[in-house]
Each structure stands twice: as structure tokens, then as C-alpha cells.
Amino acid sequence: MLVTGFPAGAFQTNCYILAKDGASECIVVDPGQNAAEPLFEFLAQSSLTPTAVLLTHGHLDHTWSVEPVCEKFGIPAYIHPEDRYMLSDPLRGTGPALAAMLGDAEFHEPREVIELADGDVLDLAGMSVTVDHTPGHTQGSVVLRTVADTDGGPVQIALTGDTLFSGSIGRSDLPGGDHEQLLRSIAAKLLVLADETAVLPGHGGSTSIGQERASNPFLVGLAGSK
């Protein structure tokens, strides 16, 4: 499986592309600010066509380019219903701090939006993606899990958005945030995964569940087992 990504825009939000080896179709995850141009260039060079855009949550730094990407390829965006309102009204999800940056920019939902639910298993671009609802950073935050076949055998991948980072966790001081709920989500949905599960977060470098279980200071004392 091809799993690649790049940080985009002022927020350095990781935009990911997932595709089966040798496939012509792919999935795009979290196309943020200024992600469209490098994404289109990569897709053209790789002869890949996306079949869907998956959003880990509704914050603008993860959704900024979702409409142009969906429009260009005529594909749907997938988002949890609790965060859907942010696609057209991003300031409701971030407060007034971003108003100056947005200027007179307008945001709209893509033509087709499909709502995610906890436990959904999506069959997209020849891959199976499981949806885990992990509220706390936002009420509609999700983790997206899939399995990559490697030379060493299958490896589970968790795209965690802003729920879990390398050495940290998501902020909970924005509208819809809840620190204790975030910790419960991590314990219930992430710390139950195997240590070797690869974690691809919304910002910063990749890590693993085992690494975070062992060294993330925010996870000390949380329940959850392998």
C-alpha cells in the first residue's frame, strides 16, 4: 500500500494519500490550507484518481481545500455529522481568532457529503477503512483505521487527526472541545490497539500506539490494553 502525506498551509496540517500498490484509485484525507495544488501535482505524477475525501474532523485547517478537491474529481466528502456544520461555517468551530486570516473567503459544502458513524467500514479505492468516533477535540472527531500489507506482514494504520499526536494530544479549548472526553476516547478507541499500530496524526511526525503508551505524558494512567 502507498501511504504518503505532506504538511500544508500555515497550520502545517498533514494531508494524506492512501492507495493500494499498483492501483489507479486512492483516498485523500484532510486536504487543508494550500493543499490542493501540491495534491493535484502528486496525483498527476502518480497517475492516481481519488474516489473520496475523508475528514478526521471539521476544523478549517483540515477542510480548507475539500470543496475544490471534491469538485475537480466529482467525488464525495465524508465527515461525522457533529462536525458537518463547519464545512460551510468554519468560524463556528474555531471562534473569532481566525476571522482576520479568512478575510472575505467563503466556504461551502461539497456537492456530495456522506456522514460517518462510529463503526462504519468503508470500501473505497479497494481498501477497507474503519471509522472510530473519538469526540473530545471536536464532537465529530474520528479516527480512520486501515491495514497495510508490508514485507513484515500486515500493519494497522490509524489516522488520528487531532485526537492523538506524537508526544501530545489534541487541544480541547475550542468550541465543542472536552478534555476529559478526549482522554476517554483515546483510552477506549486507541489504547486498545496493538502496540505496533502506526499512528499518522494531523500535525507532526508519525508514531505508534506502543510509543505513545510508553512515553506520552498525557496518557499516564489511562485505561486501555493491547
Coordinates of all heavy atoms in Angstrom, one line a residue, residues 127-180:
M127 N -9.8 -0.4 -0.7 CA -9.3 -0.5 0.7 C -10.5 -0.5 1.6 O -11.5 0.1 1.3 CB -8.4 0.6 1.0 CG -7.0 0.6 0.3 SD -6.1 2.1 0.5 CE -7.0 3.2 -0.6
S128 N -10.3 -1.1 2.8 CA -11.3 -1.1 3.8 C -10.9 -0.2 4.9 O -9.8 -0.3 5.5 CB -11.5 -2.5 4.4 OG -12.5 -2.6 5.4
V129 N -11.7 0.8 5.3 CA -11.4 1.8 6.3 C -12.5 1.7 7.4 O -13.6 1.9 7.1 CB -11.3 3.2 5.7 CG1 -11.0 4.2 6.7 CG2 -10.3 3.3 4.5
T130 N -12.0 1.6 8.6 CA -12.9 1.5 9.8 C -12.9 2.9 10.4 O -11.9 3.5 10.6 CB -12.5 0.4 10.7 OG1 -12.5 -0.8 10.1 CG2 -13.4 0.4 12.0
V131 N -14.1 3.3 10.8 CA -14.3 4.6 11.4 C -14.6 4.5 12.9 O -15.4 3.7 13.4 CB -15.6 5.3 10.8 CG1 -15.8 6.7 11.5 CG2 -15.4 5.5 9.3
D132 N -13.8 5.2 13.7 CA -13.9 5.2 15.2 C -14.3 6.6 15.6 O -13.5 7.5 15.3 CB -12.7 4.8 15.9 CG -12.3 3.3 15.7 OD1 -13.3 2.5 15.7 OD2 -11.2 3.0 15.5
H133 N -15.4 6.8 16.2 CA -15.8 8.2 16.7 C -15.1 8.5 17.9 O -15.2 7.7 18.9 CB -17.3 8.2 16.9 CG -17.9 9.5 17.3 ND1 -19.0 9.7 18.1 CD2 -17.4 10.8 17.0 CE1 -19.2 11.0 18.3 NE2 -18.3 11.7 17.6
T134 N -14.3 9.6 17.9 CA -13.4 9.9 19.1 C -13.6 11.3 19.5 O -12.8 12.2 19.4 CB -11.9 9.7 18.7 OG1 -11.6 10.4 17.5 CG2 -11.6 8.2 18.5
P135 N -14.8 11.7 20.0 CA -15.1 13.1 20.4 C -14.2 13.5 21.5 O -13.7 12.7 22.3 CB -16.5 13.0 20.9 CG -16.8 11.6 21.3 CD -15.9 10.8 20.4
G136 N -14.0 14.9 21.6 CA -13.1 15.4 22.6 C -12.4 16.7 22.1 O -12.4 17.7 22.6
H137 N -11.7 16.5 20.9 CA -11.1 17.6 20.3 C -12.2 18.5 19.6 O -12.3 19.7 19.8 CB -10.1 17.2 19.2 CG -9.5 18.3 18.4 ND1 -8.7 19.3 18.9 CD2 -9.6 18.5 17.1 CE1 -8.3 20.1 18.0 NE2 -8.9 19.7 16.8
T138 N -13.0 17.8 18.9 CA -14.3 18.3 18.5 C -15.4 17.2 18.7 O -15.0 16.0 19.0 CB -14.4 18.6 17.0 OG1 -14.2 17.4 16.2 CG2 -13.3 19.6 16.6
Q139 N -16.6 17.5 18.6 CA -17.6 16.5 18.9 C -17.7 15.5 17.7 O -18.2 14.4 17.9 CB -19.0 17.1 19.2 CG -19.1 17.8 20.5 CD -18.7 16.8 21.6 OE1 -19.4 15.8 21.9 NE2 -17.6 17.1 22.3
G140 N -17.3 15.9 16.5 CA -17.3 15.0 15.4 C -16.0 14.4 15.0 O -15.8 13.9 13.9
S141 N -15.0 14.4 15.9 CA -13.7 13.8 15.5 C -13.8 12.3 15.3 O -14.5 11.7 16.1 CB -12.7 14.2 16.6 OG -12.3 15.5 16.6
V142 N -13.1 11.8 14.3 CA -13.0 10.4 14.1 C -11.5 10.0 13.9 O -10.7 10.8 13.5 CB -13.8 9.9 12.9 CG1 -15.3 10.3 13.1 CG2 -13.3 10.6 11.6
V143 N -11.3 8.7 14.2 CA -10.0 8.1 13.8 C -10.3 7.1 12.6 O -11.4 6.4 12.7 CB -9.4 7.3 15.0 CG1 -8.3 6.4 14.5 CG2 -8.8 8.3 16.0
L144 N -9.5 7.1 11.6 CA -9.7 6.2 10.5 C -8.6 5.1 10.5 O -7.4 5.4 10.5 CB -9.6 7.1 9.2 CG -10.5 8.3 9.1 CD1 -10.1 9.2 8.0 CD2 -12.0 7.8 8.9
R145 N -9.1 3.9 10.5 CA -8.1 2.8 10.5 C -8.2 1.9 9.3 O -9.2 1.6 8.8 CB -8.4 1.9 11.7 CG -8.1 2.5 13.1 CD -8.3 1.5 14.2 NE -9.7 1.2 14.5 CZ -10.2 0.0 14.3 NH1 -9.4 -1.0 13.9 NH2 -11.5 -0.2 14.5
T146 N -7.0 1.5 8.8 CA -6.9 0.6 7.7 C -5.7 -0.3 7.9 O -5.0 -0.1 8.9 CB -6.8 1.3 6.4 OG1 -7.0 0.4 5.3 CG2 -5.5 2.1 6.2
V147 N -5.5 -1.3 7.1 CA -4.4 -2.2 7.2 C -3.5 -2.2 6.0 O -4.0 -2.2 4.8 CB -4.9 -3.7 7.5 CG1 -3.7 -4.6 7.5 CG2 -5.6 -3.7 8.8
A148 N -2.2 -2.0 6.2 CA -1.3 -2.0 5.0 C -0.5 -3.3 5.0 O 0.0 -3.7 6.1 CB -0.3 -0.8 5.1
D149 N -0.4 -3.9 3.9 CA 0.5 -5.1 3.7 C 1.9 -4.7 3.5 O 2.2 -3.9 2.6 CB 0.0 -6.0 2.6 CG -1.3 -6.6 2.9 OD1 -1.6 -7.0 4.0 OD2 -2.2 -6.7 1.9
T150 N 2.8 -5.1 4.4 CA 4.2 -4.8 4.3 C 5.1 -6.1 4.1 O 4.5 -7.2 4.3 CB 4.7 -4.0 5.5 OG1 4.8 -4.9 6.6 CG2 3.8 -2.9 5.8
D151 N 6.3 -5.9 3.9 CA 7.2 -7.1 3.8 C 7.3 -7.9 5.1 O 7.5 -9.1 5.1 CB 8.7 -6.6 3.5 CG 8.8 -6.1 2.0 OD1 7.8 -6.4 1.2 OD2 9.7 -5.3 1.7
G152 N 7.0 -7.2 6.2 CA 7.0 -7.8 7.5 C 5.6 -8.3 7.9 O 5.4 -8.7 9.1
G153 N 4.6 -8.2 7.0 CA 3.3 -8.6 7.3 C 2.3 -7.4 7.4 O 2.8 -6.3 7.3
P154 N 1.1 -7.7 7.7 CA 0.1 -6.6 7.8 C 0.3 -5.7 9.0 O 0.7 -6.2 10.1 CB -1.2 -7.3 7.9 CG -0.9 -8.7 8.4 CD 0.4 -9.0 7.9
V155 N 0.2 -4.4 8.8 CA 0.4 -3.4 9.8 C -0.9 -2.5 9.8 O -1.3 -2.0 8.8 CB 1.6 -2.6 9.6 CG1 1.7 -1.4 10.6 CG2 2.9 -3.4 9.7
Q156 N -1.5 -2.4 11.0 CA -2.6 -1.5 11.1 C -2.2 0.0 11.2 O -1.2 0.3 11.8 CB -3.4 -1.8 12.4 CG -4.7 -1.0 12.5 CD -5.7 -1.5 13.5 OE1 -6.9 -1.5 13.2 NE2 -5.3 -2.1 14.6
I157 N -2.9 0.8 10.5 CA -2.6 2.2 10.4 C -3.8 3.0 11.0 O -5.0 2.7 10.7 CB -2.4 2.7 9.0 CG1 -1.1 2.0 8.4 CG2 -2.3 4.2 8.9 CD1 -1.0 2.2 6.9
A158 N -3.5 3.9 11.9 CA -4.6 4.8 12.4 C -4.3 6.2 12.1 O -3.3 6.8 12.5 CB -4.7 4.6 14.0
L159 N -5.2 6.8 11.3 CA -5.1 8.3 11.0 C -5.9 9.0 12.1 O -7.1 8.9 12.1 CB -5.6 8.6 9.6 CG -4.8 7.9 8.5 CD1 -5.5 6.7 7.9 CD2 -4.5 9.0 7.4
T160 N -5.2 9.7 13.0 CA -5.8 10.1 14.2 C -6.2 11.6 14.2 O -6.7 12.1 15.2 CB -4.8 9.9 15.4 OG1 -3.6 10.6 15.1 CG2 -4.6 8.4 15.6
G161 N -6.0 12.3 13.1 CA -6.4 13.7 13.1 C -5.8 14.5 14.2 O -4.6 14.3 14.5
D162 N -6.6 15.2 14.9 CA -6.1 16.0 16.1 C -6.4 15.4 17.4 O -6.5 16.0 18.4 CB -6.6 17.4 16.0 CG -5.9 18.2 14.9 OD1 -5.0 17.7 14.2 OD2 -6.2 19.4 14.8
T163 N -6.7 14.0 17.4 CA -7.0 13.3 18.6 C -5.7 12.9 19.4 O -5.6 13.2 20.6 CB -7.9 12.1 18.4 OG1 -9.2 12.5 17.9 CG2 -8.1 11.2 19.6
L164 N -4.8 12.4 18.6 CA -3.5 11.9 19.2 C -2.4 12.3 18.3 O -2.4 12.1 17.1 CB -3.5 10.4 19.4 CG -2.3 9.8 20.0 CD1 -2.1 10.2 21.5 CD2 -2.4 8.2 19.9
F165 N -1.3 12.9 19.0 CA -0.1 13.3 18.3 C 1.1 12.5 18.9 O 1.0 11.9 19.9 CB 0.2 14.8 18.4 CG -0.9 15.7 17.9 CD1 -1.5 16.6 18.8 CD2 -1.3 15.6 16.6 CE1 -2.5 17.4 18.4 CE2 -2.3 16.5 16.2 CZ -2.9 17.4 17.1
S166 N 2.2 12.6 18.3 CA 3.5 12.1 18.8 C 3.8 13.0 20.1 O 4.1 14.1 20.0 CB 4.6 12.2 17.8 OG 5.8 11.8 18.4
G167 N 3.7 12.4 21.2 CA 4.0 13.0 22.5 C 3.0 14.0 23.0 O 3.2 14.7 24.0
S168 N 1.8 14.0 22.4 CA 0.8 15.0 22.8 C -0.6 14.5 22.4 O -0.8 13.4 21.8 CB 1.1 16.4 22.2 OG 0.2 17.4 22.8
I169 N -1.6 15.3 22.7 CA -3.0 15.1 22.3 C -3.6 16.4 21.8 O -3.0 17.4 21.9 CB -3.8 14.5 23.5 CG1 -3.9 15.6 24.7 CG2 -3.3 13.2 24.0 CD1 -4.8 15.2 25.8
G170 N -4.8 16.3 21.3 CA -5.4 17.5 20.7 C -5.8 18.5 21.8 O -6.1 18.1 22.9
R171 N -5.9 19.7 21.4 CA -6.4 20.8 22.3 C -7.9 20.6 22.4 O -8.6 20.0 21.6 CB -6.1 22.1 21.7 CG -6.8 22.4 20.4 CD -6.2 23.7 19.7 NE -6.6 24.9 20.5 CZ -6.3 26.2 20.2 NH1 -5.7 26.4 19.1 NH2 -6.7 27.2 20.9
S172 N -8.4 21.1 23.5 CA -9.9 20.9 23.8 C -10.5 22.3 24.3 O -11.6 22.3 24.9 CB -10.1 19.9 24.9 OG -9.3 20.2 26.1
D173 N -9.8 23.4 23.9 CA -10.3 24.7 24.3 C -11.1 25.4 23.3 O -11.5 26.6 23.5 CB -9.2 25.6 24.8 CG -8.1 25.8 23.7 OD1 -8.0 24.9 22.8 OD2 -7.4 26.8 23.8
L174 N -11.4 24.8 22.1 CA -12.2 25.4 21.1 C -13.6 24.9 21.2 O -13.9 23.9 21.9 CB -11.6 25.0 19.7 CG -10.2 25.6 19.4 CD1 -9.7 25.0 18.1 CD2 -10.2 27.1 19.4
P175 N -14.6 25.6 20.5 CA -16.0 25.1 20.6 C -16.1 23.6 20.4 O -15.6 23.1 19.4 CB -16.7 26.0 19.6 CG -15.8 27.2 19.5 CD -14.4 26.8 19.7
G176 N -16.8 23.0 21.3 CA -17.0 21.5 21.1 C -16.0 20.7 21.7 O -16.1 19.4 21.7
G177 N -14.9 21.3 22.3 CA -13.9 20.5 22.9 C -14.2 20.1 24.3 O -14.9 20.8 25.0
D178 N -13.6 19.0 24.8 CA -13.8 18.5 26.1 C -12.7 17.6 26.5 O -12.5 16.5 25.9 CB -15.2 17.7 26.2 CG -15.5 17.2 27.6 OD1 -14.6 16.7 28.3 OD2 -16.7 17.2 27.9
H179 N -11.8 18.1 27.4 CA -10.6 17.4 27.7 C -10.8 16.0 28.2 O -10.2 15.0 27.8 CB -9.7 18.2 28.7 CG -8.4 17.6 29.0 ND1 -7.4 17.5 28.2 CD2 -8.1 16.9 30.2 CE1 -6.4 16.9 28.8 NE2 -6.7 16.5 30.0
E180 N -11.7 15.8 29.2 CA -11.9 14.5 29.8 C -12.5 13.6 28.8 O -12.2 12.4 28.7 CB -12.8 14.7 31.0 CG -12.2 15.4 32.2 CD -10.9 14.8 32.6 OE1 -10.8 13.5 32.7 OE2 -9.9 15.5 32.9

